[in-house]
Amino acid sequence: MEFLLTDVTLSPLPDAKTVLEEIRDLESYFELYWHFSRGELLPFDFPQKHLNQFPDRTYKQLLMTAIANKMNTVNTYLAIQNEYLKNYYVLYLHYANGMDIPSDFPELIIDQFPSRSYIHQLKGAISILQQEINTERTAM
């Protein structure tokens, strides 16, 4: 099966809170990995749910798999957000400057902002999504 970026645009836009939660989990997984590998101390407030999931060094291989899966999840969320942002900009330029939009432009985006009269809402969506992406990048 071939993966196309158009498949990503059809995915629902992930909630920023969910993405940040996934990033925090990933950070905790790495802390736990370094604890198991190098004996580094865990922070006092380390999430108990991760210790319950991976209680000792014998779970290191499972932890590595969980890290890979979590990284895939985070990267997928970020790719979806970036694709939405790109499409929002394309539609904004179409409404503001009359720039042509591609024939395969996602209907989902057009349905959200169906005409030029939605340009201010579109501008707001661009601003909010850009802030969310910046916050997530900072968290990483």
Side-chain angles (χ1 to χ4, degrees):
M1 184 174 150
E2 199 174 314
F3 179 77
L4 303 172
L5 276 183
T6 54
D7 295 338
V8 173
T9 61
L10 299 177
S11 300
L13 185 61
D15 177 37
K17 181 181 174 188
T18 303
V19 178
L20 287 172
E21 196 173 289
E22 294 288 334
I23 291 170
R24 280 191 294 275
D25 285 348
L26 181 59
E27 183 180 318
S28 294
Y29 286 176
F30 276 116
E31 284 180 302
L32 195 54
Y33 177 80
W34 291 125
H35 171 70
F36 289 159
S37 298
R38 298 182 181 169
E40 293 182 10
L41 295 176
L42 291 172
F44 176 74
D45 60 346
F46 189 81
Q48 185 63 42
K49 69 179 183 176
H50 300 308
L51 289 174
N52 293 342
Q53 195 174 8
F54 309 104
D56 59 46
R57 288 180 208 279
T58 61
Y59 290 84
K60 189 174 170 184
Q61 191 63 41
L62 286 174
L63 178 60
M64 289 171 56
T65 302
I67 288 171
N69 290 339
K70 194 65 75 173
M71 287 176 71
N72 285 337
T73 300
V74 169
N75 286 333
T76 300
Y77 284 164
L78 296 176
I80 292 168
Q81 287 177 321
N82 284 318
E83 192 65 20
Y84 268 84
L85 188 61
K86 181 192 80 154
N87 287 325
Y88 285 172
Y89 274 120
V90 167
L91 190 58
Y92 179 80
L93 290 173
H94 171 69
Y95 289 154
N97 302 333
M99 187 181 102
D100 290 340
I101 57 174
S103 59
D104 62 344
F105 192 79
E107 285 292 322
L108 177 69
I109 305 296
I110 294 173
D111 291 345
Q112 281 182 295
F113 309 101
S115 69
R116 191 178 193 294
S117 63
Y118 288 83
I119 197 165
H120 294 293
Q121 291 92 330
L122 179 57
K123 201 173 182 181
I126 289 169
S127 178
I128 289 169
L129 186 54
Q130 187 65 62
Q131 285 176 334
E132 290 174 357
I133 290 171
N134 290 341
T135 301
E136 293 155 7
R137 284 185 183 149
T138 302
M140 292 181 73

